[in-house]
Amino acid sequence: MVRAYALTQGRTVPTGPEFDLIALVVSDVPDGPDLPVGPEHGAILGLCRDDALSVAEIAAETDLPLGVVRVLLGDLLAAGYVRVSRPVPPALLPDEHILREVIHGLRAL
């Protein structure tokens, strides 16, 4: 068993922005053994190659702690191997009152 700090080279936070649990990750690299990444990075790339997976799903599938997955994803994002779609912040979502008005307007039609 490899310790978490060995997988992340002692880092506890990812390089770049923090990854939300529901952020979707997609791999942008073709399948091949010539990528300069470790086995854990390769496992993440393999999972995200066919389908977009959330950060939580990647942690569950790889059986790695969430903090480790976030650091590894930061490495892959910095190298340009993955794309991340972040969820819309709650502050940017429409107000509930506006949505109710739209529903009432549609029912009136």
Side-chain angles (χ1 to χ4, degrees):
M1 179 174 155
V2 178
R3 300 264 185 201
Y5 64 83
L7 295 174
T8 62
Q9 300 169 350
R11 297 171 290 152
T12 58
V13 293
T15 56
E18 184 74 24
F19 294 96
D20 194 85
L21 283 175
I22 59 173
L24 295 177
V25 180
V26 179
S27 174
D28 277 345
V29 294
D31 194 12
D34 57 345
L35 293 176
V37 295
E40 291 78 18
H41 290 93
I44 292 172
L45 290 174
L47 286 171
C48 299
R49 188 168 290 118
D50 298 328
D51 259 343
L53 291 177
S54 70
V55 174
E57 289 172 317
I58 293 170
E61 290 290 327
T62 58
D63 200 27
L64 292 171
L66 183 61
V68 171
V69 170
R70 285 179 168 158
V71 171
L72 296 176
L73 285 173
D75 296 342
L76 293 172
L77 183 63
Y81 294 149
V82 295
R83 283 182 289 124
V84 179
S85 299
R86 289 175 170 65
V88 176
L92 298 178
L93 293 174
D95 185 26
E96 182 181 341
H97 175 71
I98 294 172
L99 293 176
R100 289 190 187 280
E101 289 297 320
V102 169
I103 289 172
H104 291 309
L106 289 173
R107 285 185 182 154
L109 292 174

